[in-house]
Amino acid sequence: MFDEIFKNTGKTKSFSKGAILQSAGQKLSKAYYVKKGLLKSYIIDEKGKEHIFMFASEGWIVSDIESQAFKNETVFFIEAIENSQVVIVEVGEFSQSEKNQKEFNLILEALAKRIGVMQRRILSLMSASAKERYEYFLQTYPELPNRVPQKMIASYLGITPEALSTIRNKITKRH
Amino acid sequence: MFDEIFKNTGKTKSFSKGAILQSAGQKLSKAYYVKKGLLKSYIIDEKGKEHIFMFASEGWIVSDIESQAFKNETVFFIEAIENSQVVIVEVGEFSQSEKNQKEFNLILEALAKRIGVMQRRILSLMSASAKERYEYFLQTYPELPNRVPQKMIASYLGITPEALSTIRNKITKRH
DNA sequence: TTTATTTATTAATCTAGATTAATAAATAAA
DNA sequence: TTTATTTATTAATCTAGATTAATAAATAAA
């Protein structure tokens, strides 16, 4: 992970639950390393509906890598869903400093990892049912259901809270 | 893009339509730079159904970046859907050679671009209807419908060929 | 060419998940 | 506490897209 690079960059800020760290439409988006707490990044579609793109708990990084690289406006909102301590990293530092071989490989590895996560998500959205996606989510993030309201999990899975409730009911009933 | 890095690495190979360049389960996957022709990368799910992950025409690169970085078995098949000329790049060269600042930035930019494409795909799978995804596909890849059978476009969109046929019918009818 | 195979279209039926609505449970605010 | 707000559950109804099947059109093979 980016851990080694980001952990000690200073600039730790605290955010209360509900605080918005970044809004869609802003330029010059930053990278957020979560020391403590939990963030979500999400979009709001034309119908005003929220779609959670990712959760970030301790040790994770959230950022709109594409908008950083190309200096576009970001499409993502980022919000603290627990009281959180976050290291904010300017993108400039990231791309301009002299990189040694080791840092280069760390960054490549982190990007490759993220690409892998997204590939699996795309494939499962194309090929798996909501129930299968939920079960896969539970395996991948076993601790999140205790920290996150169900409607956010539904939003992450791309389904309605009602549908998730029904799925959970079915899973428990045929124990 | 990776163009500058890959274009002149030699080792151009020709593949006839229908040739399989890579199969799921193989280790040490390579990167494929398309000089001429058209490739598709896809998975086959447990039910034996094919899901196209991406198309790659002239100037594109296909590769399982995650499996390269972590030396896993790849999940992707890669197949030529036109007669194609492809530059095959060993992953080794890519990560081990000494990188200068310029190359470093090119690679970062290419990865960021790919991440952006995947982000948009995830968000549209979560929030858009099949019709909207098809219209977005037409905007993004206006030339592909002339080169690719419809059932492959359906597979890329995550729907059945029958559903795509119906959508196309609806779009033309209310001109 | 002729024949076989693959692809696209259309229609009927089905189903996973959306929508709407009402109620209960949990959480936050006063 | 009490009250207001948010979240989760359940049920009824609806709909986008899947499934099945039959037919036509296009492409590949003999």
Side-chain angles (χ1 to χ4, degrees):
Chain A
M1 282 294 274
F2 282 119
D3 290 34
E4 288 83 353
I5 304 174
F6 281 162
K7 218 164 18 194
N8 305 309
T9 326
K11 287 197 247 174
T12 302
K13 277 199 175 180
S14 291
F15 296 94
S16 318
K17 185 173 176 171
I20 307 276
L21 318 213
Q22 172 183 294
S23 293
Q26 293 181 338
K27 272 195 186 180
L28 232 276
S29 80
K30 301 170 168 69
Y32 305 87
Y33 174 89
V34 182
K35 267 186 157 172
K36 182 127 192 35
L38 187 57
L39 309 182
K40 64 171 178 180
S41 82
Y42 59 101
I43 62 158
I44 296 187
D45 70 19
E46 332 75 56
K47 290 164 210 145
K49 200 174 172 190
E50 176 181 317
H51 302 274
I52 294 184
F53 183 72
M54 64 177 285
F55 296 106
S57 57
E58 288 81 6
W60 285 66
I61 286 176
V62 217
S63 70
D64 186 350
I65 289 169
E66 192 202 19
S67 105
Q68 286 176 22
F70 301 104
K71 310 214 157 67
N72 301 324
E73 295 184 356
T74 179
V75 297
F76 292 108
F77 293 85
I78 297 175
E79 180 179 330
I81 52 182
E82 295 177 357
N83 295 329
S84 303
Q85 295 185 346
V86 177
V87 181
I88 300 182
V89 183
E90 290 287 340
V91 183
E93 305 171 26
F94 183 72
S95 62
Q96 283 160 23
S97 77
E98 304 251 297
K99 290 289 158 246
N100 62 32
Q101 188 72 17
K102 201 189 151 208
E103 277 196 349
F104 173 80
N105 283 327
L106 281 174
I107 291 171
L108 275 196
E109 197 176 300
L111 291 179
K113 204 170 200 167
R114 172 162 301 193
I115 285 173
V117 171
M118 294 204 303
Q119 278 177 359
R120 279 188 289 279
R121 189 123 172 250
I122 290 169
L123 294 172
S124 82
L125 283 165
M126 288 202 295
S127 68
S129 68
K131 178 154 158 284
E132 290 166 327
R133 298 207 300 279
Y134 177 58
E135 283 166 341
Y136 181 69
F137 172 84
L138 290 180
Q139 279 174 29
T140 317
Y141 306 96
E143 87 292 356
L144 271 192
N146 307 315
R147 299 172 69 177
V148 157
Q150 248 170 242
K151 59 166 209 165
M152 286 190 192
I153 297 177
S155 169
Y156 175 88
L157 296 172
I159 58 177
T160 58
E162 293 87 347
L164 178 55
S165 177
T166 310
I167 286 166
R168 282 165 49 83
N169 185 308
K170 263 179 206 149
I171 289 174
T172 35
K173 255 177 190 156
R174 52 102 226 177
H175 40 155
Chain B
M1 282 295 276
F2 282 119
D3 292 33
E4 289 83 354
I5 303 174
F6 280 164
K7 218 164 20 194
N8 305 308
T9 326
K11 285 198 248 175
T12 304
K13 275 197 176 184
S14 292
F15 295 94
S16 318
K17 185 173 178 172
I20 308 277
L21 318 213
Q22 173 183 295
S23 292
Q26 292 180 337
K27 272 196 186 176
L28 234 275
S29 80
K30 302 170 168 70
Y32 304 87
Y33 174 88
V34 181
K35 269 186 156 173
K36 183 129 193 29
L38 187 57
L39 309 181
K40 65 172 178 181
S41 82
Y42 60 100
I43 61 157
I44 296 188
D45 70 18
E46 333 75 54
K47 291 164 207 142
K49 199 173 171 190
E50 176 180 316
H51 302 273
I52 293 183
F53 182 71
M54 66 177 283
F55 295 105
S57 57
E58 287 82 6
W60 285 67
I61 286 173
V62 217
S63 70
D64 185 349
I65 289 168
E66 192 201 18
S67 105
Q68 284 174 22
F70 302 104
K71 311 216 158 68
N72 303 324
E73 294 183 358
T74 179
V75 296
F76 292 108
F77 293 83
I78 297 176
E79 181 180 328
I81 52 183
E82 294 177 358
N83 295 330
S84 303
Q85 294 184 345
V86 177
V87 180
I88 300 182
V89 183
E90 289 290 337
V91 182
E93 303 169 27
F94 181 72
S95 61
Q96 283 160 21
S97 77
E98 303 252 298
K99 291 286 160 248
N100 62 31
Q101 190 71 18
K102 199 189 150 210
E103 277 196 347
F104 172 79
N105 283 327
L106 280 174
I107 290 171
L108 275 196
E109 195 176 300
L111 291 178
K113 203 169 203 170
R114 171 162 303 192
I115 285 173
V117 170
M118 295 204 302
Q119 278 177 358
R120 279 189 289 280
R121 187 118 174 252
I122 289 169
L123 295 172
S124 83
L125 282 166
M126 287 201 297
S127 67
S129 68
K131 177 154 158 285
E132 290 165 328
R133 298 206 302 280
Y134 177 59
E135 282 164 344
Y136 181 70
F137 170 84
L138 290 181
Q139 278 174 31
T140 317
Y141 306 96
E143 84 294 354
L144 271 193
N146 308 316
R147 298 172 68 176
V148 158
Q150 247 170 243
K151 61 166 208 163
M152 285 190 192
I153 297 176
S155 167
Y156 175 89
L157 296 172
I159 59 176
T160 57
E162 294 86 347
L164 179 55
S165 178
T166 309
I167 287 165
R168 282 165 49 84
N169 185 308
K170 262 181 207 146
I171 289 173
T172 35
K173 256 178 191 155
R174 53 99 230 183
H175 40 154

